[in-house]
Amino acid sequence: TLTIMKISKLLSAALIAASSLSFSSCSNGNDAQDSYNAIVFVNYEGINEGYHVFKYTEPNKDESINILSQVNFNDTPPALGTRVIGVFNVPYNIQIQNNMTLDCVGIGKLNASGTLTSETFSGGVSFGAQFYLTSVSRAGDYIDITGLASAEKSKMRLVADASTMQNEKPTLYLIYELEAPETIGNGQYFASFDISQITQNPMYTGFTLIINNSNSNGVSNFDFSL
């Protein structure tokens, strides 16, 4: 079965409007009351028999499935393998199978993405600004993050403490940097980072992710097992 974030149609529209993402339009969604809209992190995999293909991995799982949908991209479609946010209309009480067709509400670019890097923090870690975290999860080779923040004049990256990379469970830090304090905002923020150098290495049994989280008034530690 497919476990994804359920949101109402109204909330979905409000979330898209409040975010700084640029969403591409899709085919007309299903307006019936027996379905819901779901926001998911997916990888764009190209076109197959007239349908755009998106690879989805459930949070805390490694197996993935393909979602098929029709999309009218505002610009050129993303490069193959690009991670994006998808909003799909999902029927209730149905088991989602691989290569099932779902109505699409919108496809958007991430506010932040990239690959895990490593640094030596000899003088301590500088987190930058606090980030208002609303969710964090591992999905296959990715860490997916949602929150409330400004995407203007800001950047986010995921950094490993180089001194812990020989441990079975290295330590990772989320760094959120603002160019100026006045850029702090409360728009929806979506970020995803490739951590395959950890998930695909058998020497690692997990990792700890540390976030300077204004939603908990301080630093939050999240332990993940592989």
Side-chain angles (χ1 to χ4, degrees), residues 45-223:
E45 299 295 323
I47 299 176
N48 182 27
E49 297 183 353
Y51 288 92
H52 291 274
V53 181
F54 301 91
K55 184 170 69 173
Y56 171 74
T57 304
E58 185 176 343
N60 305 313
K61 299 290 180 64
D62 293 297
E63 301 78 14
S64 62
I65 66 169
N66 288 333
I67 296 173
L68 308 181
S69 196
Q70 293 182 334
V71 183
N72 299 316
F73 285 104
N74 296 333
D75 300 309
T76 303
L80 296 183
T82 299
R83 198 151 178 84
V84 296
I85 282 290
V87 184
F88 298 98
N89 190 260
V90 182
Y92 283 114
N93 302 321
I94 190 170
Q95 182 174 351
I96 306 301
Q97 304 288 342
N98 187 38
N99 293 323
M100 180 172 285
T101 301
L102 294 177
D103 286 330
C104 174
V105 179
I107 301 295
K109 297 178 181 178
L110 298 174
N111 298 114
S113 61
T115 301
L116 175 69
T117 60
S118 64
E119 295 180 15
T120 300
F121 300 107
S122 56
V125 179
S126 176
F127 288 97
Q130 282 195 321
F131 180 73
Y132 191 96
L133 183 73
T134 54
S135 73
V136 58
S137 61
R138 181 185 75 87
D141 293 330
Y142 293 89
I143 281 289
D144 295 328
I145 293 166
T146 67
L148 300 177
S150 171
E152 297 297 326
K153 297 183 180 180
S154 69
K155 62 181 179 179
M156 179 179 287
R157 54 198 177 98
L158 188 65
V159 181
D161 183 344
S163 67
T164 68
M165 290 301 286
Q166 298 304 313
N167 301 341
E168 289 185 350
K169 299 187 71 172
T171 300
L172 315 184
Y173 295 94
L174 185 72
I175 311 296
Y176 176 62
E177 299 169 321
L178 298 172
E179 290 186 9
E182 59 267 23
T183 61
I184 296 175
N186 60 355
Q188 292 287 339
Y189 197 98
F190 299 90
S192 185
F193 298 94
D194 185 333
I195 57 168
S196 56
Q197 60 180 288
I198 290 178
T199 55
Q200 297 299 320
N201 190 328
M203 74 170 281
Y204 296 122
T205 61
F207 58 91
T208 298
L209 174 59
I210 301 178
I211 300 175
N212 189 11
N213 180 14
S214 60
N215 195 12
S216 67
N217 296 317
V219 174
S220 298
N221 289 20
F222 300 91
D223 291 319

Side-chain angles (χ1 to χ4, degrees), residues 22-34:
S22 175
F23 276 81
S24 294
S25 61
C26 299
S27 59
N28 293 330
N30 182 0
D31 292 327
Q33 298 301 310
D34 57 353

